[in-house]
Amino acid sequence: MAEVKTSGRPIDQLLEKVLCMNILSSDYFRDLLRLKTYHEVIDEIYNQVDHVEPWMTGNCRGPSTAFCLLYKFFTMKLTVKQMHGLLKHPDSPYIRAVGFLYLRYLADFKTLWSWYEPYLKDDEEFSPGSSGKMTTMGVYVRDLFLGQYYFDTLLPRIPVPVMRAAVANLEKMNLPTKLSGSTGDSSRGSEETSRRPPSVKASLSVSFGQRAPHRASTRDSSPVRRTIAPPPLYDKDVADDSRRSPSLRRSQSRDLSDRENSERDRGRDRERDKERTRDRDRDRDRDRYRDQDRERERGRDRDRDRRYDERDRDRRRDYDRDRGRDRDRRYDYDRRSVERSRRSRSRSRSHSRSLHDQGTSLDQQRTPPRDESKEKKAPSTSSNLAKLKDLYGDLGSQKENVGDYDRAPNRDSSTEEVIRLGGSWR
C-alpha cells in the first residue's frame, strides 16, 4: 500500500524546536520504543490520551502524551489505508484527532483539502483541550486547516494559493471561514492562558535558543507581572489638572515620548550588541578558517618539497650508479687492453725468439761442415793471394791516390773476389 504523500520536510523540522527537543528527551517517548505496530500505538492513544494539546497541564510543562504518540506515527510513515483507519476510527475521537494532526503537519499541502473535506461537517463532539470545552470534529478540522497557531505552537504554513482555494470551497459549502477558537487561537492573550506559567515556557525556549510563539501574547498575563500594580489609566484630578494646564499635558507627553525613546534606544543598543557579537564570531571563524587554510597550504608545500627531495635523491643515486658502472666498464676495458698488449708483446717476443731460433738453425744448415782436406790445404791461400797480387797489382800502393768513396768498393770487390775464389780472409 502506498504511503501518504508528504511535503518532504524532515521530521525534526515539522514541530517547533522546543517541543521537538522535549519530546525526544522525555521518558514517555523512550518508553514508546517498545511499540512496534500501528495497532499498538492506536491502543496506547485509546488508553492514555484525554486531550490533544501539545503540552501537559500543570507546572511540569512536559510534552503531552498525544504529541509523543504523534511523533511516534511520524517515525512509522503511515500508509493511505492506515490513515483512513485513523480518521474513521469509531472507538475514540482522540484517535481521529491525532490522525488529522498527522496530516496537518506531514501531508502535502495540495492534498490536504481532499483529506479534510469529507469531515468538515462531522458532528462528533469531544474536547480538544484540557479545559473541557466541547466542540465538534468538523469545527476542529476547519480550525486546524485555517489556523496558523495550535494551542500556542506554530503549525506549518499553508501556501496562499491553497488557502484561497480552501476558503472559496468553504464559502461554496456555506461554512464559516473564520476561526472558532477550538484550537486555542481565540484564547490567545486572554486570562485563560495565565493558568500556565509562561515563564517556564520562556525558559525552555531560551535554553534551546528559540523564542516561544505565545510569549508576546502572554506578557501581560504572567503571574509575576500581575503582582505589580499597573499605572492608573484614568485619574480625575490629573485629568482636571491636565485640562486646566496645557503645560502638564505637554510634560506628560514628553515623558511618554522620552520613555519610548529610551526603550527604543535600549532595543537598538541590544541589537547593536548582538550585531557586534555576530561580527566578532564571524571574524573569529574567518580567522580560524584562514589559519586552517594556511596550515593546509604549508602541509602541501612540505609534501611537495619532500617529493622533490626524494626525486633528487633518486636521481643522484641513479647518477652515481651509472658513473660506477662507467668506471667499472672503463676499468674492465683498460684491463683487457693491458692484457691484450701484454699478450701481443709476449707473442711478438716468442715469435722473434722462434724466428731467431729458426735463423740460427738455417745458419747452421747453411754453414757447410768443415772439410779437413780443405783445412789441410789452407796454407795454399797465401799462394793464391800472391797470384792475385801479381794479377791485379798491389792494392796498398793505390790507397794514397784513390778516395774513400772509391776505395770501399774496391775493397768489397776484392773481398767478394777473394770469397768467390774460396778460402778464408782472416
Side-chain angles (χ1 to χ4, degrees):
M1 194 67 180
E3 296 180 0
V4 176
K5 188 176 181 180
T6 63
S7 60
R9 297 176 63 188
I11 298 177
D12 56 350
Q13 295 181 7
L14 297 175
L15 302 173
E16 284 185 340
K17 188 175 181 181
V18 178
L19 182 59
C20 183
M21 294 298 291
N22 278 273
I23 290 174
L24 294 176
S25 60
S26 66
D27 296 333
Y28 179 72
F29 181 75
R30 294 195 189 97
D31 188 58
L32 293 179
L33 296 175
R34 58 184 174 80
L35 303 179
K36 303 298 182 181
T37 63
Y38 160 79
H39 295 287
E40 289 177 349
V41 180
I42 290 180
D43 294 339
E44 187 72 16
I45 295 173
Y46 181 81
N47 295 323
Q48 299 297 332
V49 176
D50 56 359
H51 67 85
V52 286
E53 291 188 18
W55 298 98
M56 297 171 62
T57 59
N59 294 328
C60 57
R61 300 300 293 161
S64 65
T65 57
F67 267 69
C68 289
L69 291 163
L70 175 64
Y71 201 94
K72 179 67 176 179
F73 273 144
F74 288 163
T75 60
M76 296 177 67
K77 296 181 180 180
L78 301 180
T79 62
V80 175
K81 182 179 179 180
Q82 291 173 345
M83 181 53 59
H84 282 297
L86 278 179
L87 301 182
K88 297 177 182 179
H89 207 283
D91 293 341
S92 174
Y94 298 107
I95 298 175
R96 303 179 63 193
V98 170
F100 288 118
L101 283 172
Y102 181 93
L103 292 172
R104 182 65 176 84
Y105 277 105
L106 193 63
D108 188 7
F109 300 119
K110 296 179 181 179
T111 63
L112 191 59
W113 175 258
S114 62
W115 282 105
Y116 279 2
E117 184 181 7
Y119 306 97
L120 291 175
K121 296 181 180 181
D122 196 317
D123 56 355
E124 183 180 7
E125 293 187 353
F126 77 111
S127 175
S130 59
S131 62
K133 183 180 179 180
M134 301 299 289
T135 186
T136 62
M137 187 64 69
V139 174
Y140 174 77
V141 171
R142 188 173 66 249
D143 287 354
L144 199 63
F145 189 91
L146 297 174
Q148 182 63 36
Y149 295 95
Y150 180 80
F151 290 105
D152 300 331
T153 60
L154 281 171
L155 293 172
R157 185 178 296 276
I158 298 177
V160 176
V162 178
M163 184 62 70
R164 287 175 181 172
V167 171
N169 291 328
L170 288 174
E171 291 176 352
K172 291 178 182 179
M173 296 173 66
N174 296 324
L175 293 175
T177 57
K178 301 295 183 180
L179 297 173
S180 64
S182 63
T183 57
D185 286 327
S186 61
S187 63
R188 291 176 63 85
S190 64
E191 285 296 326
E192 293 183 0
T193 58
S194 64
R195 60 187 172 79
R196 295 182 180 178
S199 59
V200 179
K201 181 71 177 295
S203 64
L204 290 173
S205 302
V206 171
S207 65
F208 289 104
Q210 183 181 3
R211 178 179 175 274
H214 68 295
R215 191 174 178 183
S217 64
T218 59
R219 186 182 302 276
D220 297 331
S221 62
S222 173
V224 178
R225 294 182 180 273
R226 287 200 309 272
T227 57
I228 303 174
L233 298 177
Y234 178 76
D235 193 349
K236 183 177 181 181
D237 297 334
V238 175
D240 294 337
D241 293 338
S242 62
R243 279 197 301 269
R244 285 193 300 267
S245 175
S247 62
L248 182 61
R249 288 199 302 272
R250 284 196 298 270
S251 64
Q252 290 178 353
S253 63
R254 192 181 301 112
D255 293 338
L256 290 174
S257 63
D258 292 340
R259 191 180 303 113
E260 291 176 356
N261 291 332
S262 63
E263 291 179 358
R264 192 182 303 113
D265 292 339
R266 280 197 298 272
R268 289 175 181 173
D269 293 338
R270 282 195 297 270
E271 291 296 330
R272 208 173 290 119
D273 293 337
K274 290 179 182 178
E275 286 294 333
R276 290 197 198 97
T277 304
R278 282 195 290 269
D279 294 338
R280 189 166 54 251
D281 295 339
R282 193 181 304 113
D283 294 338
R284 191 183 302 115
D285 294 338
R286 190 183 301 114
D287 294 338
R288 185 169 66 252
Y289 294 151
R290 189 183 299 114
D291 294 338
Q292 292 176 359
D293 293 338
R294 288 174 181 171
E295 188 62 29
R296 282 195 290 271
E297 287 293 335
R298 292 195 196 98
R300 283 195 288 268
D301 293 339
R302 283 196 298 270
D303 294 338
R304 186 169 57 252
D305 294 339
R306 191 183 301 112
R307 288 196 298 271
Y308 287 162
D309 294 338
E310 291 177 356
R311 193 178 306 158
D312 293 339
R313 196 181 304 115
D314 295 337
R315 288 176 179 174
R316 285 197 297 272
R317 187 165 54 248
D318 296 339
Y319 179 73
D320 294 338
R321 186 171 62 250
D322 295 338
R323 286 188 61 187
R325 289 177 181 173
D326 294 339
R327 188 171 55 251
D328 295 339
R329 196 179 294 112
R330 285 197 301 271
Y331 175 74
D332 294 338
Y333 179 76
D334 295 340
R335 186 169 51 79
R336 285 196 296 271
S337 62
V338 169
E339 290 292 336
R340 236 183 348 261
S341 62
R342 188 181 297 118
R343 275 196 216 95
S344 65
R345 282 199 300 272
S346 62
R347 194 181 298 112
S348 62
R349 194 179 297 114
S350 61
H351 182 67
S352 61
R353 189 181 296 112
S354 63
L355 289 177
H356 179 69
D357 295 338
Q358 289 178 4
T360 306
S361 61
L362 288 174
D363 292 338
Q364 291 177 359
Q365 290 177 4
R366 287 175 185 174
T367 304
R370 292 182 176 179
D371 193 358
E372 295 180 355
S373 61
K374 288 183 179 180
E375 288 181 356
K376 291 179 181 180
K377 291 179 181 181
S380 62
T381 57
S382 59
S383 60
N384 291 333
L385 183 58
K387 289 178 181 180
L388 288 173
K389 286 181 180 181
D390 293 338
L391 180 62
Y392 296 100
D394 190 4
L395 295 175
S397 61
Q398 296 178 1
K399 287 180 182 179
E400 298 177 356
N401 297 324
V402 180
D404 294 335
Y405 181 79
D406 295 329
R407 284 199 299 268
N410 290 331
R411 189 185 308 121
D412 293 337
S413 63
S414 62
T415 305
E416 291 177 359
E417 189 69 26
V418 170
I419 292 171
R420 192 183 302 134
L421 291 175
S424 62
W425 185 252
R426 292 182 182 176

